Amino acid sequence: MASPVPVISFGALEEQIGGLKFSLRGNDFDACSYSVDSLSDGFVEVGDALPNYAKMKAVDVRQEQVGDVWVYNAEYKGFKNPLESLRVFSRSENSPSEGFDNVSLTVATTMDTDHPLLARGSGIPNDDKFPYMFIVDRNKEVSEVAGFNILNLQLRGMLGDKPMTRRVNGNQVTIQPSVNWEMANQTNAIGETILGWPGYSYPNTEFTIPKITVVDSFITTTTPPWGGIPGNFTPADAPTLTDFVFWTSGAVRYNWPFGWRRANVTTEQIPGKDLWFVSVTYEYQHKILPE
């Protein structure tokens, strides 16, 4: 009598073997292990959705043939919640003392990358606490998980209140008049005595006068004052300085505008948004100098 043919039983074919094992994550894809048997070669393939979980996709499939049956052990990644469409994998913030703040995001999404939520000029996805941060640059990667994209987003703007910064440059300028001139002793703004030149000096004598510049930098939603150049405008809390007082019987040169004035305005605008980083340069110009 012939020996019976051995039979390997896996239960009903094309049904799950054992329970699902999920790993739920906050800053990465969820993961799940799934096993099933089938008579069909290719019953489970990379990119297939996990049954009943449309956004969990097979990324690694191991299949083993046992007799006429294929046993599949697969690893799935994605979002366990089918209603979830975007997840932040990483986030970093940089808020320098001067200039725009920066936020770098890496997100995984099933949304079309042209979706308004991810377009240039949009804010931080799913975060309305920072209304003045905007997407300016995007870098797209195709994920190993079917139906997902990885986006690296660069946002610029203002994370919160940012005080104005000020730089003051106290320089001096040397001039050489071609006429006779005279200057008495003077006291500068910090109480020091500057010796003058009593009696007319000779022409072509070199002397120095203060050249003070102030650069105020800030972020604003107001259109910068480009039309205010040239123009008399004293910066708030302007530094004190010593004006130049002299006498001459020769020609003089008049400067306009004189006193404190805007000398330069440089700006950087977030594209398409009413948000500017502005640097305004003020300088002090003497009204009259010897020619």
Side-chain angles (χ1 to χ4, degrees):
M1 179 177 176
S3 299
V5 177
V7 176
I8 301 176
S9 176
F10 294 89
L13 293 177
E14 301 185 356
E15 288 189 2
Q16 177 181 325
I17 302 171
L20 295 176
K21 299 176 182 179
F22 279 97
S23 295
L24 304 181
R25 296 158 178 163
N27 58 357
D28 202 344
F29 286 118
D30 300 328
C32 180
S33 299
Y34 170 74
S35 299
V36 68
D37 54 18
S38 173
L39 290 173
S40 301
D41 183 7
F43 180 69
V44 179
E45 295 182 336
V46 171
D48 289 349
L50 179 65
N52 301 315
Y53 296 91
K55 292 185 178 179
M56 296 292 296
K57 301 297 182 67
V59 295
D60 183 41
V61 178
R62 300 176 299 281
Q63 63 180 91
E64 179 184 1
Q65 188 175 24
V66 182
D68 293 333
V69 176
W70 289 95
V71 179
Y72 296 88
N73 294 287
E75 299 297 325
Y76 290 76
K77 291 183 179 181
F79 298 158
K80 181 174 182 284
N81 181 354
L83 300 180
E84 186 176 5
S85 59
L86 182 144
R87 183 177 298 178
V88 175
F89 281 4
S90 68
R91 172 172 173 161
S92 63
E93 299 179 1
N94 178 32
S95 182
S97 60
E98 187 174 294
F100 288 125
D101 298 328
N102 300 276
V103 172
S104 297
L105 294 178
T106 298
V107 302
T109 182
T110 57
M111 295 188 294
D112 189 290
T113 54
D114 291 330
H115 190 283
L117 192 66
L118 303 172
R120 286 185 175 85
S122 297
I124 300 177
N126 298 336
D127 187 346
D128 58 2
K129 296 191 295 294
F130 303 100
Y132 293 111
M133 294 299 300
F134 304 98
I135 296 172
V136 294
D137 291 304
R138 308 187 315 163
N139 182 11
K140 173 184 172 181
E141 301 175 20
V142 178
S143 171
E144 65 168 339
V145 183
F148 283 82
N149 287 303
I150 305 296
L151 291 179
N152 298 304
L153 304 176
Q154 301 297 320
L155 298 94
R156 304 187 73 197
M158 188 167 58
L159 287 167
D161 292 338
K162 178 169 285 193
M164 180 189 74
T165 60
R166 168 170 286 184
R167 298 190 302 276
V168 179
N169 184 18
N171 242 328
Q172 61 184 19
V173 176
T174 299
I175 64 175
Q176 190 178 46
S178 59
V179 297
N180 293 328
W181 57 277
E182 180 182 0
M183 183 174 67
N185 293 348
Q186 299 185 51
T187 303
N188 67 18
I190 59 175
E192 299 170 336
T193 299
I194 304 171
L195 294 179
W197 198 313
Y200 285 110
S201 70
Y202 294 103
N204 301 319
T205 301
E206 288 188 352
F207 68 97
T208 59
I209 57 175
K211 184 69 172 182
I212 307 297
T213 60
V214 173
V215 181
D216 288 342
S217 300
F218 51 92
I219 295 176
T220 180
T221 57
T222 303
T223 302
W226 295 298
I229 301 174
N232 291 103
F233 195 93
T234 302
D237 300 319
T240 56
L241 53 85
T242 302
D243 206 348
F244 177 67
V245 180
F246 70 97
W247 297 268
T248 180
S249 60
V252 296
R253 182 177 73 248
Y254 291 88
N255 295 304
W256 181 91
F258 55 86
W260 283 106
R261 63 181 184 178
R262 286 193 193 97
N264 187 40
V265 177
T266 60
T267 67
E268 180 185 3
Q269 182 182 8
I270 298 295
K273 300 297 177 180
D274 289 331
L275 193 65
W276 289 268
F277 170 61
V278 180
S279 289
V280 181
T281 300
Y282 307 91
E283 65 180 18
Y284 187 85
Q285 177 63 60
H286 298 272
K287 181 178 181 180
I288 305 174
L289 292 173
E291 188 62 65

